[in-house]
Amino acid sequence: MPGYFREIAVRMFAKELKESNMMYREDEEQYAPQYVLTPTGAKANRVLISGVLTESENIGLGAEYYKARISDPTGTFTVYAGQYQAEASRFLAEAQTPSFVMVVGKVTAFKADDGKMILSVRPEHIQTVTRKDRDIWILETAKKTYERVTVSEQEEPDNENVKNALEHYSPDFAEYRNMISKALETISA
């Protein structure tokens, strides 16, 4: 097995992850990382998300398997944690709702019966944070998203991920700029 390194977690709003449906591996190796390519050209194996934990329930049959929903100003992330995410499972078992949380996790994909790809996050780390922490996450995520949109809007982007995203999604960047503005409006003074 080649020496894989830990991927950097990409900051991403829920709306962008929800609208993503292009998953791929760069290598045929069994343990090669799986990536999502988003409409703004972000290539992510891991994400850094934050928001309000609105729901956490054990949906496991016989074993603990938690499904949680985390809402940011643009939508909702779905998070699943089971026996291989023991720390996250314990956290979700004891977590108060609603509360502000931050998660670093891997993006996973599930293909529904209708063929639609549904993305979720498998947490590697999850913790309670303050509203201020969540607001800083919104600010930084807005900045990173804006940077990706700006690069994507160039006439001839030289970034291969951006080229592939433009071809696959044909995104409406005015919609993403609007999403960024609305997210920033939710930050407390």
Side-chain angles (χ1 to χ4, degrees):
M1 177 171 107
Y4 290 107
F5 60 93
R6 195 171 209 60
E7 298 281 338
I8 292 173
V10 177
R11 291 172 180 270
M12 187 177 307
F13 287 117
K15 176 181 171 45
E16 184 170 3
L17 185 63
K18 185 175 183 177
E19 292 178 354
S20 301
N21 62 17
M22 185 178 179
M23 297 290 291
Y24 67 97
R25 293 181 193 274
E26 293 179 335
D27 192 336
E28 296 301 315
E29 291 287 326
Q30 179 182 356
Y31 297 106
Q34 183 171 321
Y35 297 96
V36 61
L37 184 65
T38 73
T40 66
K43 171 186 156 187
N45 168 261
R46 299 167 74 232
V47 291
L48 172 63
I49 62 174
S50 187
V52 178
L53 177 67
T54 58
E55 175 186 330
S56 178
E57 71 173 307
N58 184 359
I59 59 169
L61 302 173
E64 287 191 348
Y65 189 67
Y66 284 88
K67 176 182 181 181
R69 297 207 183 277
I70 299 170
S71 295
D72 78 6
T74 72
T76 304
F77 296 99
T78 303
V79 174
Y80 291 99
Q83 66 180 357
Y84 299 113
Q85 299 81 38
E87 177 190 326
S89 289
R90 276 191 303 279
F91 178 92
L92 292 173
E94 300 167 2
Q96 299 291 316
T97 57
S99 62
F100 292 108
V101 296
M102 194 165 293
V103 177
V104 173
K106 291 207 178 231
V107 176
T108 59
F110 170 76
K111 202 165 229 171
D113 293 337
D114 63 2
K116 183 179 178 188
M117 188 176 297
I118 300 167
L119 299 182
S120 62
V121 177
R122 190 176 64 238
E124 296 171 337
H125 180 75
I126 183 170
Q127 70 182 51
T128 303
V129 295
T130 65
R131 181 184 185 108
K132 182 179 179 185
D133 294 327
R134 193 280 320 245
D135 288 352
I136 291 169
W137 175 85
I138 290 172
L139 185 62
E140 291 297 318
T141 303
K143 187 174 11 174
K144 293 293 185 188
T145 305
Y146 177 80
E147 289 170 4
R148 292 194 301 267
V149 167
T150 302
V151 168
S152 297
E153 287 179 318
Q154 293 175 1
E155 217 167 291
E156 285 294 322
D158 58 358
N159 181 310
E160 204 60 38
N161 293 328
V162 171
K163 288 179 187 176
N164 291 337
L166 291 171
E167 186 177 307
H168 182 78
Y169 295 106
S170 301
D172 177 356
F173 292 117
E175 184 181 319
Y176 281 96
R177 287 180 184 280
N178 188 42
M179 173 195 76
I180 292 166
S181 294
K182 286 187 187 296
L184 290 172
E185 287 170 10
T186 66
I187 294 176
S188 55

